[in-house]
Amino acid sequence: MVKIAIVVGSTRPGRNGEAVARWVYELAGRRSEAQFELVDLAEFDLPLLDEPVPPSMGQYSKEHTKRWAAKVAEFDGYVFVTPEYNHSTSGALKNALDYLYAEWNNKAAGFVSYGSAGGTRAVEQLRLIAAELQMATVRAQVALSLFTDFENFSTFRPSAHHEMAINTMFEQLVSWSRAMRTVREQSQIAATYRS
Ligand SMILES: Cc1cc2nc3c(=O)[nH]c(=O)nc-3n(C[C@H](O)[C@H](O)[C@H](O)COP(=O)(O)O)c2cc1C
């Protein structure tokens, strides 16, 4: 069965991201075709990228990098739960993505965002970042509004219609996560022939 991480993409005290990610995890739990796990960036306490060698070289030297890499490597796909900060994703999520390379390659990704315009600008930027990390991003996404899906911009009360969008996103993500396993196998075979 494919394994999918639900990544909590904000770390600030009082963040809305935790409630959103828990809702994603609860809805994911109703599905049987994949295993889902909550992965909270706050628990990894990553400093601003402090590896001397670029991550694409795969020479991780710090314990926090190795711990983060081991967790990310466990999964076939990811749901990035992202806020919108200044029309982009959070610095914490960008930093966590920057830390690694091979662990993201040939994996699938979906997005759940929130903000005054549904966080859609953050997702547009994340799609570009994901492409550079060789991730396949699914089309369906969930865009939650601070005005209509939160009370007082802070208590999460999602409108019912988002469940349809999230189920479509899960279907696409599970399907592509399975397919990307084949892609990883093929690229390993090709690498063996090259060496
Ligand atoms: C630094 C910062 C910048 C923000 N910029 C935007 C923005 O450009 N567009 C937007 O819709 N919301 C913006 N917001 C509002 C956030 O989307 C909202 O506060 C959200 O709850 C933040 O996610 P978090 O609570 O999980 O940290 C910003 C919030 C912060 C803290």
Side-chain angles (χ1 to χ4, degrees):
M1 208 187 290
V2 290
K3 280 189 76 181
I4 293 178
I6 296 162
V7 180
V8 190
S10 65
T11 54
R12 70 178 185 94
R15 62 195 171 160
N16 281 327
E18 196 173 332
V20 175
R22 289 198 181 284
W23 171 78
V24 175
Y25 182 63
E26 189 194 310
L27 294 175
R30 297 182 195 169
R31 312 186 68 86
S32 57
E33 76 275 41
Q35 259 182 284
F36 294 87
E37 184 178 320
L38 264 183
V39 173
D40 189 346
L41 291 187
E43 287 172 13
F44 286 84
D45 209 17
L46 293 167
L48 280 177
L49 180 61
D50 60 354
E51 285 289 344
V53 177
S56 57
M57 308 296 282
Q59 294 171 33
Y60 304 146
S61 65
K62 307 281 163 96
E63 275 317 304
H64 52 254
T65 313
K66 290 176 189 172
R67 184 169 164 251
W68 176 231
K71 177 49 71 181
V72 171
E74 286 177 21
F75 301 98
D76 302 290
Y78 310 88
V79 177
F80 293 108
V81 177
T82 182
E84 182 169 306
Y85 289 173
N86 296 317
H87 290 201
S88 185
T89 190
S90 66
L93 180 53
K94 176 64 164 60
N95 188 51
L97 287 161
D98 288 346
Y99 251 97
L100 309 177
Y101 184 69
E103 293 75 10
W104 301 120
N105 292 174
N106 296 320
K107 306 272 183 81
F111 303 97
V112 174
S113 58
Y114 50 99
S116 56
T120 50
R121 294 166 292 212
V123 172
E124 290 298 294
Q125 296 215 10
L126 275 169
R127 287 182 185 280
L128 294 175
I129 296 161
E132 179 56 18
L133 291 169
Q134 301 188 55
M135 301 175 97
T137 61
V138 301
R139 177 178 186 268
Q141 65 188 63
V142 181
L144 302 158
S145 165
L146 284 176
F147 295 102
T148 54
D149 295 306
F150 293 81
E151 280 172 20
N152 298 322
F153 305 102
S154 57
T155 305
F156 187 43
R157 299 260 186 272
S159 307
H161 73 271
H162 292 301
E163 287 197 23
M164 201 154 75
I166 204 167
N167 282 323
T168 307
M169 188 272 289
F170 283 140
E171 277 159 28
Q172 294 181 355
L173 182 60
V174 169
S175 159
W176 282 23
S177 295
R178 276 199 205 109
M180 294 309 277
R181 272 189 174 174
T182 310
V183 173
R184 290 199 298 285
E185 280 161 19
Q186 296 298 324
S187 64
Q188 268 164 10
I189 293 167
T192 311
Y193 277 119
R194 277 198 303 273
S195 63

